[in-house]
Structures are given as structure tokens and as C-alpha cells.
Amino acid sequence: MIPEDKIKELKDSLLSDKQRLEEKIETLSDMEFGDAVGTDNEDADETEEMANTQSTIDLLEERLERINDALTRIEMGVYGVCQSCHKEIGVDLLSVDPESTLCKECKAD
Ligand SMILES: [Zn+2]
């Protein structure tokens, strides 16, 4: 079992990650849908920039989903259990990657 205080620590880190991601996504969404009017960018540049912004948002949302998953697992009391082999995910791995759903062995596969 993962010690309670360690889970609390990881949860705090997940929650602050989550907040940071949500703020970032909001900022990027504003950039994308906000007033691009008034800039002297060529249309092509602007389209490319928007595509980059969208793919960045996609990546961030993917990460956010993983974080929300991890938080749900904490609530359900199944946090830190490998979803593949159902063994415990080591605390050392969770410290580096708190939203990990796989143990070291399964990750390596
Ligand atoms: Zn595993």
C-alpha cells in the first residue's frame, strides 16, 4: 500500500497540475478564438499558428484527462494499482509520474 501521506502529497501535486493545465488551456483557447483582428499576420501564418495552438490544446487536454483519471482513482481507493497486472505501482514511479496507470514492468512492455 502507498502511505496515506504520500497519496496526499501526490494528490496535491495532481491538483496543482490540473489547475495549471486548465489555466493554460483557457489562455490558449482565448488566443485561438479571441481577437486575432488587428494583427498584421498573413492568413497562412495565422492558420498555421491556430493549428499549432489546437494541437497544443489537444495535448494538454489529454494530460488533463489522465490527471482527472488519477484523481478519480485516488477517490476510489485504487490509486497506485497497475491497470494491466494489478500489482502495485511503485511510489518512486508515481513520484515522477503521478498520473501513471501502469507499473514499471508493464510500462516497459
Ligand atoms: Zn503492471
Side-chain angles (χ1 to χ4, degrees), residues 10 17 32 34 42 44-45 52 54 57-58 60 78 90 98 106 108:
L10 291 167
D17 273 1
E32 192 183 11
E42 296 281 327
D45 284 354
N52 283 335
Q54 186 55 55
I57 291 175
D58 287 349
L60 292 175
V78 294
C106 295

Side-chain angles (χ1 to χ4, degrees), residues 5-99:
D5 55 341
K6 188 69 196 173
I7 289 190
K8 198 185 168 302
E9 191 185 311
L10 291 167
K11 185 179 174 180
D12 284 348
S13 126
L14 284 164
L15 283 171
S16 67
D17 273 1
K18 178 182 160 147
Q19 198 180 358
R20 221 176 30 233
L21 280 171
E22 280 172 346
E23 280 167 11
K24 225 171 185 178
I25 289 170
E26 199 173 319
T27 309
L28 286 171
S29 302
D30 282 354
M31 272 168 59
E32 192 183 11
F33 303 112
D35 55 324
V37 187
T39 61
D40 290 327
N41 285 341
E42 296 281 327
D43 279 353
D45 284 354
E46 206 168 290
T47 311
E48 196 178 318
E49 206 169 289
M50 273 172 65
N52 283 335
T53 306
Q54 186 55 55
S55 62
T56 308
I57 291 175
D58 287 349
L59 278 176
L60 292 175
E61 280 181 338
E62 214 169 281
R63 175 105 205 278
L64 186 61
E65 209 166 295
R66 274 157 54 80
I67 289 174
N68 280 329
D69 272 4
L71 288 167
T72 307
R73 288 198 305 276
I74 290 175
E75 296 306 321
M76 288 165 64
V78 294
Y79 180 66
V81 177
C82 176
Q83 291 193 332
S84 176
C85 69
H86 302 288
K87 281 183 199 154
E88 194 175 306
I89 303 173
V91 172
D92 51 338
L93 179 59
L94 289 171
S95 301
V96 200
D97 187 10
E99 67 261 38

